Amino acid sequence: APLGARWGDDPDSSEDESEAGLQEPTLSPDTAGPSSEGEGEKTAGGIRIPPTHTSRIDAKGIKTVTSYRADPANSNRLIKTTTRIRVTYDRLTENVAVAARRKWKKF
C-alpha cells in the first residue's frame, strides 16, 4: 500500500532551476585534458564528475543540494545524489548590555 506524500515529495516550485539543469550529465570520456574552468574531477574510468550544486532556499524553506560520484560497480557511470534540506532560522532576543559587550575590542 503506498504511503501518503511527505514534505520532500511535493513537486518543486522554485524558479531557480531551468530545463537545461534537468538534463542528464554527459558521461563521455574526457580526452581534451583538464578544462580551463577547473570544474569537476576525473575518475579512473576517465569520466568528469560535475561539481556539487546548491540551490537557493525556496518559498517553503527547502534547499536542494545535488552532487555526483562515480559508481563503484561501473566506472563509466555516475551516481546523482539529491539532498533536500529544510532550513529554519531561530530569532533570539539579546539583552542590550550583552549586545554592547559584543562590540568591545578583543583583548
Side-chain angles (χ1 to χ4, degrees), residues 52-107:
T52 300
H53 176 263
T54 304
S55 70
R56 290 178 281 167
I57 300 169
D58 65 2
K60 295 180 181 180
I62 298 173
K63 172 175 67 170
T64 304
V65 178
T66 305
S67 61
Y68 300 90
R69 62 185 171 98
D71 186 357
N74 183 357
S75 63
N76 292 325
R77 279 182 49 183
L78 287 178
I79 296 176
K80 177 181 177 181
T81 305
T82 304
T83 307
R84 295 177 65 132
I85 302 167
R86 178 167 281 167
V87 179
T88 59
Y89 295 100
D90 293 333
R91 292 191 89 152
L92 299 175
T93 304
E94 189 173 63
N95 190 325
V96 177
V98 174
R101 285 196 300 270
R102 286 189 189 277
K103 295 180 183 177
W104 288 359
K105 182 180 175 185
K106 303 291 182 197
F107 52 91

Side-chain angles (χ1 to χ4, degrees), residues 22-37:
L22 299 177
Q23 296 176 352
E24 288 291 321
T26 304
L27 299 179
S28 62
D30 185 27
T31 57
S35 67
S36 61
E37 298 172 351

